[in-house]
Amino acid sequence: MANDFFDQTKWSTVLRAGADDTQVRLAALERLLTRYRRPILLEFQSRARCAPLEAEELAHQFFHDCLRRDFLKDIDPARGRFRAFIKGCITNFLRDQHDKFTAQKRGGGLAPVSLDETYEDGTPRHDPAGENESPHFDLDRAWAREVLELALAELEQECVNARRGPLFVALKPFLQGDPENGGYSAAASRLGMNEGAVRVAAHRLRQRLGELIEAEIKQTVTVAEDWRDELRYFLELLGGKS
């Protein structure tokens, strides 16, 4: 949620914190990782080609390592967006897992994970990207869905707090575009409102949702101008989903 607490733990604040305050840095890191938990889980499933339970174990170890090593203490602000930073960390983590397995000669739990492993014909075993997709595209799509869900949850809570919960429930299907076939009329009948008022309410909710999405995206960029590029990319990702 885009609230006062998270304003103190956004990515740019973590970078500014540097190595000066370990507790602030670790709290910020944990908060950011929690917000990215689902995309990270999906990324492990895709890149390690493993079952959800195995992905959970990998993600748990990944989070543990991140917090144990406090890997933001020497972070370079030039690395930019938190999502890009996490992708690199996941790559390094998977390589480390494979190196440890190789050094031990035997597996002691999780199967070995290698980003360079191939089948007999040379085809990569762990290549989640399709022919027309860039590497790590799964995490990007999961990130976009998570941003939308977080913004929707925040909008719903605002409506509930304002005693307009039923309005949100009735108009949620219309938040990504105007309905067809008399949708507003049917919603107006259910809500006991006239159709014009429902149209206005839907427009305002869409506008507020856009503001919340914008605020959510701004949490994980380091340069003020970056969020507009992220927003455009977010819209592309949602527009391309099936």
Side-chain angles (χ1 to χ4, degrees), residues 115-242:
L115 299 183
D116 303 316
E117 187 178 356
T118 62
Y119 293 104
E120 292 182 1
D121 64 358
T123 303
R125 285 179 178 269
H126 306 305
D127 181 8
E131 292 181 1
N132 299 315
E133 294 181 353
S134 61
H136 318 314
F137 195 65
D138 286 348
L139 187 143
D140 289 359
R141 286 184 296 192
W143 163 78
R145 288 192 293 268
E146 188 73 2
V147 166
L148 178 60
E149 289 183 18
L150 286 167
L152 283 168
E154 177 75 1
L155 180 60
E156 180 177 16
Q157 189 59 54
E158 288 182 358
C159 288
V160 169
N161 292 344
R163 298 183 180 180
R164 304 184 77 191
L167 179 69
F168 175 85
V169 172
L171 298 185
K172 184 178 179 180
F174 309 152
L175 290 181
Q176 296 185 43
D178 287 327
E180 298 179 356
N181 302 322
Y184 281 131
S185 177
S189 178
R190 292 195 302 272
L191 292 167
M193 301 168 59
N194 65 62
E195 185 174 337
V198 169
R199 287 179 179 273
V200 170
H203 172 74
R204 289 175 177 171
L205 285 179
R206 281 196 293 269
Q207 187 174 45
R208 180 56 182 155
L209 178 62
E211 294 170 351
L212 292 171
I213 288 171
E214 177 182 312
E216 187 65 36
I217 288 174
K218 285 180 178 179
Q219 303 302 327
T220 52
V221 294
T222 58
V223 182
E225 292 76 15
D226 281 350
W227 72 268
R228 292 183 176 86
D229 291 334
E230 284 286 81
L231 179 59
R232 281 191 287 270
Y233 186 45
F234 164 83
L235 294 173
E236 289 176 9
L237 289 167
L238 288 187
K241 71 178 182 177
S242 58

Side-chain angles (χ1 to χ4, degrees), residues 6-182:
F6 193 62
D7 283 345
Q8 301 304 314
T9 60
K10 60 186 177 182
W11 179 230
S12 56
T13 302
V14 174
L15 293 176
R16 286 198 302 270
D20 296 333
D21 192 329
T22 301
Q23 293 303 313
V24 168
R25 192 170 57 249
L26 288 177
L29 173 59
E30 185 171 14
R31 178 83 172 180
L32 287 165
L33 287 174
T34 297
R35 297 175 78 79
Y36 273 75
R37 183 178 182 277
R38 182 159 45 180
I40 287 172
L41 277 173
L42 293 174
E43 182 75 356
F44 276 121
Q45 268 188 262
S46 175
R47 301 197 46 203
R49 297 294 171 90
C50 61
L53 182 58
E54 292 174 304
E56 285 273 6
E57 293 177 9
L58 282 169
H60 177 78
Q61 184 62 45
F62 175 71
F63 293 157
H64 175 76
D65 286 358
C66 288
L67 294 172
R68 176 178 58 81
R69 293 187 293 110
D70 188 12
F71 69 169
L72 292 185
K73 62 182 179 181
D74 299 316
I75 185 64
D76 179 2
R79 293 198 183 197
R81 298 173 181 83
F82 187 71
R83 188 180 71 257
F85 175 69
I86 282 294
K87 289 177 184 178
C89 291
I90 289 175
T91 296
N92 292 334
F93 173 81
L94 290 175
R95 289 190 186 280
D96 287 344
Q97 291 295 302
H98 180 259
D99 290 345
K100 289 176 183 178
F101 179 86
T102 301
Q104 294 172 356
K105 302 296 184 182
R106 301 182 177 181
L110 293 176
V113 177
S114 171
L115 299 183
D116 303 316
E117 187 178 356
T118 62
Y119 293 104
E120 292 182 1
D121 64 358
T123 303
R125 285 179 178 269
H126 306 305
D127 181 8
E131 292 181 1
N132 299 315
E133 294 181 353
S134 61
H136 318 314
F137 195 65
D138 286 348
L139 187 143
D140 289 359
R141 286 184 296 192
W143 163 78
R145 288 192 293 268
E146 188 73 2
V147 166
L148 178 60
E149 289 183 18
L150 286 167
L152 283 168
E154 177 75 1
L155 180 60
E156 180 177 16
Q157 189 59 54
E158 288 182 358
C159 288
V160 169
N161 292 344
R163 298 183 180 180
R164 304 184 77 191
L167 179 69
F168 175 85
V169 172
L171 298 185
K172 184 178 179 180
F174 309 152
L175 290 181
Q176 296 185 43
D178 287 327
E180 298 179 356
N181 302 322

